[in-house]
Amino acid sequence: MGKIVNGDNMNKIDLKNYQLRTDLIVETITTDKIKNKEQIVDNIKISEVSLTEEEAKLINKKKGNYITIEFDDVSDIDNKKKVESIFASNLKQLLKKNNITEDDKCLIVGLGNEKSTPDSLGPRTIDNILVTNHLFEIGGIEEGFRCVAAINPGVMGTTGIETSTIIKSLIEGIKPDFVIAIDALAASSISRVNKTIQLTDTGIHPGSGVTNSRKEISFETMNIPVIAIGIPTVVDAVTIVSDTIGYISKHFAYHIKNIDNKTNRLIPRNRINYLNSDSNITKEEKNILMGEIGKLTDNEIKELLFDVLTPIGSNLMVTPKEVDFVINDLSLVLSGGINKSLHKKLMN
Amino acid sequence: MGKIVNGDNMNKIDLKNYQLRTDLIVETITTDKIKNKEQIVDNIKISEVSLTEEEAKLINKKKGNYITIEFDDVSDIDNKKKVESIFASNLKQLLKKNNITEDDKCLIVGLGNEKSTPDSLGPRTIDNILVTNHLFEIGGIEEGFRCVAAINPGVMGTTGIETSTIIKSLIEGIKPDFVIAIDALAASSISRVNKTIQLTDTGIHPGSGVTNSRKEISFETMNIPVIAIGIPTVVDAVTIVSDTIGYISKHFAYHIKNIDNKTNRLIPRNRINYLNSDSNITKEEKNILMGEIGKLTDNEIKELLFDVLTPIGSNLMVTPKEVDFVINDLSLVLSGGINKSLHKKLMN
Amino acid sequence: MGKIVNGDNMNKIDLKNYQLRTDLIVETITTDKIKNKEQIVDNIKISEVSLTEEEAKLINKKKGNYITIEFDDVSDIDNKKKVESIFASNLKQLLKKNNITEDDKCLIVGLGNEKSTPDSLGPRTIDNILVTNHLFEIGGIEEGFRCVAAINPGVMGTTGIETSTIIKSLIEGIKPDFVIAIDALAASSISRVNKTIQLTDTGIHPGSGVTNSRKEISFETMNIPVIAIGIPTVVDAVTIVSDTIGYISKHFAYHIKNIDNKTNRLIPRNRINYLNSDSNITKEEKNILMGEIGKLTDNEIKELLFDVLTPIGSNLMVTPKEVDFVINDLSLVLSGGINKSLHKKLMN
Amino acid sequence: MGKIVNGDNMNKIDLKNYQLRTDLIVETITTDKIKNKEQIVDNIKISEVSLTEEEAKLINKKKGNYITIEFDDVSDIDNKKKVESIFASNLKQLLKKNNITEDDKCLIVGLGNEKSTPDSLGPRTIDNILVTNHLFEIGGIEEGFRCVAAINPGVMGTTGIETSTIIKSLIEGIKPDFVIAIDALAASSISRVNKTIQLTDTGIHPGSGVTNSRKEISFETMNIPVIAIGIPTVVDAVTIVSDTIGYISKHFAYHIKNIDNKTNRLIPRNRINYLNSDSNITKEEKNILMGEIGKLTDNEIKELLFDVLTPIGSNLMVTPKEVDFVINDLSLVLSGGINKSLHKKLMN
């Protein structure tokens, strides 16, 4: 059996076959060479990475700034305010890093399909954006407000037009100084679904999270800074399973170490959070536990799962069943934070 | 009293004060000089008018072709099909009159606010439009289909952008040969609300039906033919009242003539349809019936009503209470008819 | 002409033919015999009427308490809070008048059709009601909360069941001490649409506002107190026109009196609010102004308009075009106010 | 390591800890003792099981009839019609088995939360049910129609009332002869999500699919036959992972057997459907492949996954991202099929 995995035809499987469909930078960083500035405020974790050209190449990402905000829950009103506030100040910083001034004109784009709940994050965020461009045209807008326009371009299936073409045309028509693009993403970790906001100045591929990759919306294609804001709202079965295989290892590492921990015996096993432990499974233990599967690297496991689930139509892209309520809460966090970071008057 | 109406300060009221907020041509035609081709098919009335430059000036309209389709109800599936079919063939004719060929590329625009039911006709129609532009780009589309793209530009209140600017930008970006713009209109007759489709090649003012007039979308501004398709879904109180005053005259004319009609006495008065009668009220009768009000022209009555209702906030713009169901039905008639008239393959 | 109106066949028209489709008490009170306690707080007018058996007969209403809250606008957040607060304290009083104590169990019923925007006030209000009945069953609910259950029974067209039968069955099943029923009403005055909350302990007829009268929901049919809360969201064309005819009289009375008022000449005529004036038109002036129509009583005018508009299908029941936004705001006012008045803990 | 799994503290984990949250009978049947009548029509698989008291005990299910209809896709209109037709005739048969005659009065109940897309199957189905009960009350309904009423009881979170209490009260109030209850279920197999209709006469637990178990709706509690119709629309991570572990075994079994199959080398590995193969992995092969994990039974694997995923909040209950469109299609299949099976006039 081992031959199959390590043998001839297994070797033929190429890493490129497995398209990593994630837009989240955090989990991509597996090398110590890249500095990742982390801080935790109010139980919310903020990670900042600035990739130079060389670093970017190392992890197959684009050069630029990446900020990731990880939180637990925004259904609670207090939590929502905390996340919104941290998001707003990070967005403001990112604008500054891109030399965007307080008078620069902004076009906000809500990517995704309003009629498909897990994909409606962008359009729903637009619904609560404070637009002012039309007021600037007629004059008389109060001090402290920036010139902001917003659009929901729709999806190619209903417009018949590449989203990037629509954005490009509008940029030429209304001449903003920068673009903010909001989209729902595919997560590459089960634990981050609906619990992470990513900001980057490297741009975005509409639809890239889910199969069909549209043309990029970025500084390179639009000639003005493009700030992308994304939240992973879906995850595929390959990711769910490969994450779980990783968790099994950690779970066993913990329980091997704590086999004589008497307190644990009083707690139901499904309440013991083993993740915070620093115990690691040894190679031998992993081998006993999972056989040949245990010998595969993370990427090889993903490849294998892809080959197992795809041909039988089971590599579903899924979203948590509470999607309607979560998307509503998340879109309010985004629109609130964007409004505050764009209009000085609203940020106190 | 008459002095008030005809006297000094009444004279100051200018007809221009009262913006006729209707986009329906039919009711504007009060002169015999303009030829109005009418036919009735399956209880559906089709009126066609082609205004020359001079004729257009006469009635303060734009030169061009106007087609009006009047029907009773589209909640019934058979009626819906009949209206859709008549609408499709009239739209096809109008395209031909504008020298639009079967290979010309079309951009369809759904004007109005999707979140406001009576104003959502345009966006809802777009939902069911068969778009093909993206398929043309990758090749391989079947014979018999035209290149069609579609967009919901949103409303200025949520985009901050003049709708005409969005359309203009997209035209430059995707280079269609002609535009079809769909919008909900304000009716100038209570009897036509939700019961009339108007087609014209003279263009459209988004939002002009209701207070705030946006920049025109027409051949003049876009440099390609613009076919406007509208259905009146709202009507204002001035129109409801002035229409009713007209009906009162007709009602009395009928009952004066039929005062000895014994059959009528057996029918409840509120079931007698007096409109089909050709009896007219005389000037004297109208005077007795309505006093000084009876001496006013239709436009003077509208002016008066405007002065009465506006200052007390009662010139409501209203829509029939069944609006949700009606807009749904009407949008399906429009999308079905547009699909058939644009794609040869679908028109049988 | 006069003969027609006052003559033989006119006499046959009976007042009963014209069903007054209003549930608002205020405008019904045309007699001085009934005491109407009025107060104005924050520009919000509160009218209270308690009808004895005899008074009720006089105006063809039911014996009981009627509270009417008239306001201007609830799209503004401050106004919304004021109206909500006044509504809450009036509801609380009405509960007390009906000997409902703080521990009494409440069933709240949202009448109307959720799929029809102008009729969705009841169901949308239920969406934001704080229910506690299930928590009472398992114990452990905090002090200061009442036992509250809520239901949207749907409309007979989709359930096939009389709404009153559904409510009656639930009352027997869950044994509440009182019922609160919320519904959208038909206004009998154009100026009150979406601007009035009525509370009463006399019950409600689901659907009575618009043509089809369902069985009453009241103390008499349910054997427990029924508090009805309604907001008029629709109005018919007869009402719009008859109201306007009344306004025309007042408009002329004002302008006759102010014919030499030089200031007025500087103001556009459609900005002069003549309603606050106390000038009245004389019988002779009205006669000159409106001829025979001017001689009719209000009810005779409504009858006439009903006979004019009904046979031609033009007695539309309409709603202001902003219905989506207004219903949303109003339902939040109602749910907020109900929650506060029911749960001591929430009322500060 | 193996000690941990098979050792002392592992033994303490009880199978009862892992609540099998599936309502689908098919996958529960792992014993040959129960006869399962299967047939395949138009690529749609229909399985029928009738459990006697003893058989029911064996698999921890209720005595009664279970019909499972498995299909691939209902987004295609032809497929939709086929599934609807097969569903209708199976529902008709199940009614007959329960001695329900053509004149028996039916109450249809749409369980679930209309505001939560994956849980909205029941309420959305009710939207298109043909109700007649109100017409029966006024008389004059055409031959060939049954007396049908329908209700969306809502969910306990918004009503505060046990759903079973609402149904019970309505049964007492409107006295139907039988109940049809429709609900979204949790799948116990990734491949069956949105692709299976289950019918049973054993009743249903509203909400049992997802954590909170409400009181049963069944013959035992309602005293009249209860036909439950369910479609699994959600699945939990434990199921996704344990299914995948099973697929890995099958995948390897196939590839071991086909290691010299030259044709396969020409096909991308992720296109080879190994499931139809009858190759089975041996115990030894499984051991090599998956180590200790490979020695666990299916239930032990589920237990393990539950212990691994639950404490870290990762046992998500998920739904495919296309949920909005799929639920729409499925609800139309159910409402169409129910209408046909209930009203003789509609079944041709």
Side-chain angles (χ1 to χ4, degrees):
Chain A
M1 257 280 294
K3 269 180 282 169
I4 288 172
V5 176
N6 297 311
D8 281 348
N9 48 3
M10 197 64 189
N11 286 341
K12 277 171 209 150
I13 296 173
D14 188 13
L15 263 171
K16 287 163 220 152
N17 278 346
Y18 184 71
Q19 292 293 331
L20 275 176
R21 274 163 303 180
T22 172
D23 299 284
L24 286 173
I25 188 78
V26 187
E27 55 234 45
T28 313
I29 300 177
T30 50
T31 165
D32 289 336
K33 291 181 192 132
I34 293 160
K35 271 158 285 167
N36 186 0
K37 218 174 81 192
E38 277 190 17
Q39 53 170 324
I40 290 174
V41 182
D42 283 334
N43 270 314
I44 298 158
K45 184 168 152 196
I46 305 126
S47 320
E48 275 178 78
V49 184
S50 290
L51 295 185
T52 61
E53 200 88 51
E54 299 82 54
E55 289 167 338
K57 262 184 204 153
L58 256 174
I59 58 169
N60 201 24
K61 282 269 166 184
K62 277 182 75 175
K63 173 194 163 189
N65 296 292
Y66 297 84
I67 301 168
T68 309
I69 300 165
E70 295 173 62
F71 48 86
D72 226 47
D73 169 48
V74 288
S75 65
D76 170 80
I77 189 126
D78 285 334
N79 258 334
K80 199 182 291 179
K81 278 184 187 163
K82 285 175 194 163
V83 176
E84 181 186 304
S85 160
I86 286 172
F87 162 61
S89 62
N90 277 280
L91 174 54
K92 228 178 155 178
Q93 264 180 38
L94 190 57
L95 298 180
K96 214 175 273 177
K97 273 193 191 161
N98 283 272
N99 301 317
I100 292 161
T101 71
E102 277 171 2
D103 292 332
D104 281 347
K105 182 171 168 177
C106 179
L107 173 64
I108 309 183
V109 180
L111 301 170
N113 187 350
E114 191 160 13
K115 310 271 191 258
S116 175
T117 312
D119 196 26
S120 65
L121 181 76
R124 289 211 202 177
T125 300
I126 295 297
D127 287 348
N128 290 295
I129 289 295
L130 180 64
V131 293
T132 55
N133 178 61
H134 55 315
L135 305 174
F136 271 82
E137 278 177 15
I138 58 171
I141 178 109
E142 219 182 319
E143 188 90 7
F145 289 96
R146 180 197 295 270
C147 181
V148 173
I151 193 99
N152 285 331
V155 287
M156 206 172 70
T158 50
T159 63
I161 318 171
E162 283 281 356
T163 302
S164 62
T165 306
I166 297 178
I167 309 305
K168 183 87 177 161
S169 306
L170 287 174
I171 288 173
E172 272 156 32
I174 68 165
K175 311 235 174 287
D177 298 302
F178 68 107
V179 164
I180 291 178
I182 304 148
D183 204 356
L185 306 175
S188 70
S189 159
I190 189 175
S191 65
R192 291 222 172 78
V193 180
N194 293 333
K195 297 184 173 178
T196 312
I197 303 174
Q198 178 175 349
L199 297 93
T200 177
D201 48 14
T202 58
I204 199 163
H205 279 279
S208 72
V210 286
T211 66
N212 50 349
S213 171
R214 296 280 79 74
K215 282 177 205 155
E216 191 176 87
I217 298 168
S218 67
F219 186 88
E220 287 74 19
T221 56
M222 300 293 154
N223 296 319
I224 53 173
V226 173
I227 307 297
I229 298 169
I231 295 181
T233 65
V234 294
V235 65
D236 66 0
V238 163
T239 302
I240 293 174
V241 181
S242 69
D243 278 7
T244 306
I245 289 173
Y247 293 143
I248 293 175
S249 293
K250 287 181 184 157
H251 178 261
F252 276 98
Y254 175 87
H255 284 289
I256 289 165
K257 195 168 171 189
N258 288 274
I259 197 160
D260 295 323
N261 181 333
K262 300 246 162 79
T263 331
N264 269 2
R265 304 210 171 185
L266 303 170
I267 310 172
R269 180 174 284 255
N270 60 36
R271 297 229 184 118
I272 301 173
N273 189 336
Y274 52 86
L275 271 193
N276 296 330
S277 154
D278 56 355
S279 21
N280 278 309
I281 201 165
T282 66
K283 227 173 166 173
E284 293 73 40
E285 284 169 343
K286 208 172 169 186
N287 212 1
I288 294 169
L289 180 63
M290 299 203 225
E292 291 293 326
I293 302 275
K295 294 177 185 163
L296 300 180
T297 66
D298 286 356
N299 268 328
E300 285 167 342
I301 282 178
K302 282 186 176 180
E303 274 181 64
L304 169 64
L305 292 172
F306 192 74
D307 287 351
V308 166
L309 290 170
T310 310
I312 59 170
S314 288
N315 190 17
L316 297 180
M317 187 68 85
V318 298
T319 190
K321 73 176 181 50
E322 301 77 8
V323 60
D324 300 78
F325 312 110
V326 177
I327 294 285
N328 186 46
D329 287 337
L330 292 173
S331 72
L332 289 174
V333 166
L334 292 190
S335 57
I338 292 172
N339 287 337
K340 276 184 188 155
S341 63
L342 291 186
H343 302 296
K344 204 167 50 180
K345 188 89 180 190
L346 303 178
M347 179 70 109
N348 295 306
Chain B
M1 257 281 291
K3 269 179 281 171
I4 289 173
V5 177
N6 297 311
D8 280 348
N9 49 3
M10 197 62 190
N11 286 341
K12 277 171 207 150
I13 296 171
D14 188 15
L15 262 169
K16 287 163 219 154
N17 278 346
Y18 184 70
Q19 291 293 335
L20 274 176
R21 273 163 303 182
T22 172
D23 299 284
L24 286 174
I25 188 77
V26 187
E27 55 234 44
T28 313
I29 301 177
T30 50
T31 165
D32 290 336
K33 289 181 192 132
I34 292 159
K35 273 157 282 166
N36 185 0
K37 218 174 81 192
E38 277 190 17
Q39 52 170 324
I40 290 173
V41 181
D42 282 334
N43 270 316
I44 298 160
K45 185 167 151 196
I46 305 126
S47 320
E48 275 178 78
V49 184
S50 291
L51 295 184
T52 62
E53 201 87 51
E54 299 83 52
E55 289 168 338
K57 261 183 204 156
L58 256 174
I59 57 168
N60 201 25
K61 282 271 166 182
K62 277 183 73 175
K63 174 195 161 187
N65 295 293
Y66 298 85
I67 301 167
T68 309
I69 300 166
E70 296 173 60
F71 48 87
D72 227 44
D73 170 49
V74 288
S75 64
D76 171 80
I77 189 128
D78 284 334
N79 258 336
K80 199 181 290 178
K81 278 184 188 163
K82 283 175 194 164
V83 176
E84 181 186 304
S85 159
I86 286 172
F87 162 61
S89 62
N90 277 279
L91 174 54
K92 227 177 155 181
Q93 262 180 39
L94 190 57
L95 297 180
K96 212 175 274 180
K97 273 192 191 162
N98 283 270
N99 301 316
I100 293 161
T101 70
E102 278 171 2
D103 292 331
D104 282 347
K105 182 171 168 176
C106 178
L107 173 64
I108 309 183
V109 180
L111 301 169
N113 187 349
E114 189 159 15
K115 310 271 191 259
S116 176
T117 313
D119 197 26
S120 66
L121 181 76
R124 289 212 202 174
T125 300
I126 295 297
D127 287 347
N128 291 294
I129 288 296
L130 180 65
V131 292
T132 54
N133 178 60
H134 55 316
L135 305 175
F136 270 81
E137 277 176 16
I138 58 170
I141 178 106
E142 217 182 318
E143 188 91 8
F145 289 95
R146 179 197 298 269
C147 181
V148 173
I151 193 100
N152 285 331
V155 288
M156 204 171 72
T158 50
T159 63
I161 318 171
E162 284 280 356
T163 302
S164 61
T165 306
I166 298 178
I167 307 307
K168 184 85 179 160
S169 306
L170 288 174
I171 288 173
E172 272 156 31
I174 69 164
K175 311 235 176 286
D177 298 302
F178 68 106
V179 165
I180 292 178
I182 305 149
D183 205 357
L185 307 175
S188 70
S189 159
I190 189 176
S191 65
R192 294 224 169 78
V193 180
N194 294 333
K195 296 184 172 177
T196 311
I197 303 173
Q198 178 175 349
L199 298 93
T200 176
D201 48 15
T202 59
I204 198 163
H205 278 280
S208 73
V210 285
T211 66
N212 51 349
S213 171
R214 297 278 81 72
K215 282 177 205 155
E216 190 177 270
I217 298 168
S218 66
F219 185 88
E220 287 74 19
T221 56
M222 300 294 153
N223 296 318
I224 53 172
V226 174
I227 306 297
I229 298 170
I231 295 181
T233 65
V234 294
V235 65
D236 66 0
V238 163
T239 303
I240 293 174
V241 182
S242 69
D243 278 6
T244 305
I245 291 173
Y247 293 143
I248 293 174
S249 293
K250 285 182 186 160
H251 177 261
F252 277 97
Y254 175 86
H255 284 288
I256 291 165
K257 196 172 173 186
N258 288 273
I259 195 159
D260 296 323
N261 180 333
K262 301 246 161 80
T263 329
N264 269 2
R265 303 207 173 187
L266 304 171
I267 309 171
R269 180 175 284 256
N270 59 36
R271 297 227 186 119
I272 301 173
N273 189 336
Y274 52 86
L275 272 193
N276 297 328
S277 154
D278 57 355
S279 23
N280 278 310
I281 202 166
T282 65
K283 225 172 169 175
E284 293 74 38
E285 285 168 343
K286 208 174 169 186
N287 212 1
I288 294 169
L289 179 64
M290 299 203 222
E292 290 294 325
I293 302 276
K295 293 177 186 164
L296 300 179
T297 66
D298 287 354
N299 268 328
E300 284 167 342
I301 283 178
K302 282 185 174 180
E303 274 180 62
L304 169 64
L305 293 173
F306 192 74
D307 287 353
V308 167
L309 291 171
T310 310
I312 59 170
S314 288
N315 190 17
L316 299 180
M317 186 69 83
V318 297
T319 190
K321 74 176 178 53
E322 301 78 8
V323 59
D324 300 78
F325 312 110
V326 177
I327 294 286
N328 186 45
D329 287 336
L330 291 173
S331 72
L332 289 174
V333 166
L334 292 191
S335 57
I338 290 172
N339 286 338
K340 276 185 188 156
S341 63
L342 291 186
H343 302 295
K344 206 169 49 182
K345 188 89 179 188
L346 303 178
M347 178 69 109
N348 296 308
Chain C
M1 257 281 290
K3 268 180 284 172
I4 288 170
V5 178
N6 297 310
D8 282 349
N9 47 2
M10 196 64 190
N11 286 340
K12 277 173 207 149
I13 296 171
D14 189 14
L15 264 169
K16 287 163 220 154
N17 278 346
Y18 183 71
Q19 291 294 333
L20 275 176
R21 273 163 303 180
T22 173
D23 299 285
L24 287 172
I25 188 77
V26 187
E27 55 233 45
T28 313
I29 301 176
T30 49
T31 164
D32 290 336
K33 291 180 193 136
I34 293 160
K35 273 157 282 167
N36 186 1
K37 217 174 81 192
E38 277 190 18
Q39 53 171 324
I40 291 175
V41 182
D42 282 332
N43 271 316
I44 298 160
K45 185 168 151 197
I46 305 126
S47 319
E48 275 178 80
V49 184
S50 290
L51 295 185
T52 61
E53 200 88 52
E54 298 82 53
E55 289 166 340
K57 262 185 202 154
L58 256 174
I59 58 169
N60 202 24
K61 282 269 166 185
K62 275 182 76 175
K63 174 194 164 188
N65 296 292
Y66 298 85
I67 300 168
T68 309
I69 301 165
E70 296 174 60
F71 47 88
D72 228 45
D73 170 48
V74 288
S75 64
D76 171 80
I77 189 130
D78 285 334
N79 257 335
K80 199 183 291 179
K81 276 183 187 162
K82 284 175 194 162
V83 176
E84 182 186 303
S85 159
I86 286 172
F87 162 61
S89 62
N90 276 279
L91 175 53
K92 226 176 155 179
Q93 263 181 37
L94 190 57
L95 297 180
K96 212 175 274 179
K97 273 192 192 163
N98 283 271
N99 301 316
I100 293 161
T101 70
E102 279 172 1
D103 292 331
D104 281 346
K105 182 171 170 178
C106 178
L107 172 65
I108 309 183
V109 180
L111 301 170
N113 187 349
E114 190 158 16
K115 311 274 191 255
S116 176
T117 312
D119 196 26
S120 66
L121 181 76
R124 289 212 201 175
T125 300
I126 294 297
D127 288 347
N128 291 295
I129 288 296
L130 179 65
V131 291
T132 55
N133 179 60
H134 55 316
L135 305 174
F136 270 82
E137 277 176 17
I138 58 172
I141 178 105
E142 217 181 320
E143 188 91 7
F145 289 95
R146 180 197 297 270
C147 181
V148 173
I151 193 100
N152 285 332
V155 287
M156 205 171 70
T158 50
T159 62
I161 318 172
E162 284 281 357
T163 302
S164 61
T165 306
I166 297 178
I167 307 308
K168 183 86 179 162
S169 306
L170 287 174
I171 288 174
E172 273 156 32
I174 68 165
K175 311 233 174 288
D177 297 303
F178 68 107
V179 164
I180 292 179
I182 305 149
D183 204 356
L185 307 175
S188 70
S189 160
I190 188 174
S191 66
R192 292 222 171 79
V193 180
N194 294 332
K195 295 183 174 178
T196 311
I197 302 173
Q198 179 176 348
L199 297 93
T200 178
D201 48 15
T202 59
I204 199 163
H205 279 279
S208 72
V210 285
T211 66
N212 50 350
S213 171
R214 296 279 80 73
K215 282 177 205 156
E216 190 176 87
I217 298 169
S218 67
F219 186 88
E220 287 74 19
T221 56
M222 300 293 154
N223 295 320
I224 52 174
V226 174
I227 307 297
I229 298 170
I231 295 181
T233 65
V234 294
V235 65
D236 67 0
V238 162
T239 302
I240 293 173
V241 181
S242 69
D243 278 6
T244 307
I245 289 173
Y247 293 142
I248 293 175
S249 292
K250 286 181 185 159
H251 178 261
F252 276 99
Y254 175 86
H255 285 287
I256 289 164
K257 196 169 173 186
N258 288 275
I259 197 159
D260 296 321
N261 181 333
K262 300 246 162 76
T263 331
N264 269 0
R265 302 207 174 187
L266 303 170
I267 310 170
R269 180 176 283 257
N270 60 37
R271 296 227 186 118
I272 301 172
N273 189 336
Y274 52 86
L275 270 194
N276 297 328
S277 153
D278 57 354
S279 21
N280 278 308
I281 202 166
T282 65
K283 227 173 168 173
E284 293 74 38
E285 284 167 344
K286 207 173 169 185
N287 212 1
I288 294 168
L289 178 65
M290 300 203 223
E292 291 293 327
I293 302 275
K295 293 177 186 162
L296 299 179
T297 65
D298 287 355
N299 268 328
E300 284 167 343
I301 283 178
K302 282 187 175 178
E303 272 181 65
L304 169 64
L305 293 172
F306 191 74
D307 287 350
V308 167
L309 291 170
T310 310
I312 60 172
S314 288
N315 190 18
L316 298 180
M317 186 68 83
V318 297
T319 190
K321 75 176 178 53
E322 301 79 7
V323 59
D324 300 78
F325 312 110
V326 176
I327 294 285
N328 186 46
D329 287 336
L330 291 173
S331 72
L332 289 174
V333 166
L334 292 191
S335 57
I338 291 172
N339 286 337
K340 276 184 188 155
S341 63
L342 291 187
H343 302 295
K344 207 167 49 182
K345 188 93 180 186
L346 303 177
M347 179 69 110
N348 295 308
Chain D
M1 258 281 293
K3 270 179 282 171
I4 289 173
V5 177
N6 298 310
D8 281 349
N9 49 1
M10 197 62 191
N11 286 339
K12 277 173 208 147
I13 295 172
D14 188 15
L15 263 169
K16 284 163 221 153
N17 277 347
Y18 182 71
Q19 292 293 333
L20 275 176
R21 274 162 304 177
T22 173
D23 299 285
L24 286 173
I25 188 76
V26 186
E27 54 233 46
T28 312
I29 300 178
T30 49
T31 165
D32 289 337
K33 291 183 191 128
I34 292 159
K35 272 157 282 166
N36 186 359
K37 216 173 83 194
E38 276 190 18
Q39 54 170 323
I40 291 175
V41 182
D42 283 334
N43 270 315
I44 299 159
K45 184 167 151 196
I46 305 126
S47 320
E48 275 178 78
V49 184
S50 291
L51 294 185
T52 61
E53 200 89 50
E54 298 82 51
E55 289 166 338
K57 264 185 203 156
L58 257 173
I59 57 169
N60 202 24
K61 282 270 167 186
K62 275 181 75 175
K63 173 194 162 188
N65 296 291
Y66 297 86
I67 301 168
T68 310
I69 300 166
E70 295 174 60
F71 47 88
D72 227 44
D73 170 49
V74 289
S75 65
D76 171 80
I77 188 129
D78 284 335
N79 257 335
K80 199 182 290 179
K81 277 184 189 164
K82 283 176 196 163
V83 176
E84 181 186 305
S85 160
I86 286 171
F87 162 60
S89 62
N90 276 279
L91 174 54
K92 227 178 153 179
Q93 263 179 38
L94 190 56
L95 297 180
K96 213 175 275 177
K97 273 192 191 161
N98 282 271
N99 300 317
I100 293 161
T101 70
E102 278 171 3
D103 292 330
D104 281 347
K105 183 171 169 177
C106 179
L107 173 65
I108 308 183
V109 180
L111 301 169
N113 187 350
E114 190 158 16
K115 311 274 191 254
S116 176
T117 312
D119 196 26
S120 66
L121 182 76
R124 289 212 201 175
T125 300
I126 294 297
D127 288 348
N128 291 294
I129 289 295
L130 179 65
V131 293
T132 54
N133 178 60
H134 55 317
L135 305 175
F136 269 82
E137 277 176 15
I138 59 171
I141 178 104
E142 219 181 318
E143 187 92 7
F145 289 96
R146 180 196 297 269
C147 182
V148 173
I151 193 100
N152 285 331
V155 288
M156 204 171 71
T158 50
T159 63
I161 319 171
E162 283 281 357
T163 302
S164 62
T165 306
I166 298 178
I167 308 306
K168 183 85 177 161
S169 306
L170 288 174
I171 288 174
E172 272 156 32
I174 69 165
K175 312 231 174 289
D177 297 301
F178 68 107
V179 164
I180 292 179
I182 305 149
D183 205 356
L185 307 176
S188 69
S189 159
I190 190 175
S191 65
R192 292 225 171 78
V193 180
N194 293 333
K195 295 183 173 177
T196 311
I197 303 172
Q198 178 176 350
L199 297 93
T200 177
D201 48 14
T202 59
I204 198 162
H205 278 279
S208 72
V210 286
T211 66
N212 51 349
S213 171
R214 294 282 79 74
K215 282 177 207 154
E216 192 177 87
I217 298 168
S218 66
F219 186 88
E220 286 74 18
T221 56
M222 300 294 154
N223 296 318
I224 52 172
V226 173
I227 306 298
I229 298 170
I231 295 181
T233 65
V234 294
V235 65
D236 66 1
V238 163
T239 302
I240 293 175
V241 181
S242 69
D243 278 6
T244 306
I245 289 174
Y247 293 143
I248 292 175
S249 294
K250 286 181 185 159
H251 177 261
F252 276 99
Y254 176 86
H255 284 288
I256 290 166
K257 196 171 172 184
N258 288 275
I259 197 159
D260 295 322
N261 180 333
K262 300 246 162 78
T263 331
N264 269 1
R265 303 207 173 188
L266 304 169
I267 310 171
R269 181 176 283 257
N270 59 37
R271 297 229 186 117
I272 301 174
N273 189 336
Y274 51 86
L275 271 193
N276 297 328
S277 153
D278 55 355
S279 21
N280 279 310
I281 201 164
T282 66
K283 227 171 168 176
E284 292 74 36
E285 285 167 343
K286 208 172 170 188
N287 213 1
I288 295 168
L289 179 64
M290 301 204 222
E292 290 293 326
I293 301 275
K295 294 178 187 161
L296 300 180
T297 65
D298 286 355
N299 267 330
E300 284 166 342
I301 283 178
K302 282 186 175 180
E303 274 180 64
L304 169 64
L305 293 172
F306 192 73
D307 287 351
V308 166
L309 291 170
T310 310
I312 59 171
S314 288
N315 190 18
L316 299 180
M317 186 69 82
V318 297
T319 189
K321 73 176 179 50
E322 300 77 8
V323 58
D324 301 79
F325 313 111
V326 176
I327 294 286
N328 186 46
D329 286 337
L330 291 173
S331 72
L332 290 174
V333 167
L334 291 190
S335 57
I338 290 172
N339 286 338
K340 276 185 189 155
S341 63
L342 291 187
H343 302 296
K344 205 168 49 180
K345 188 91 180 187
L346 303 178
M347 178 69 109
N348 296 308

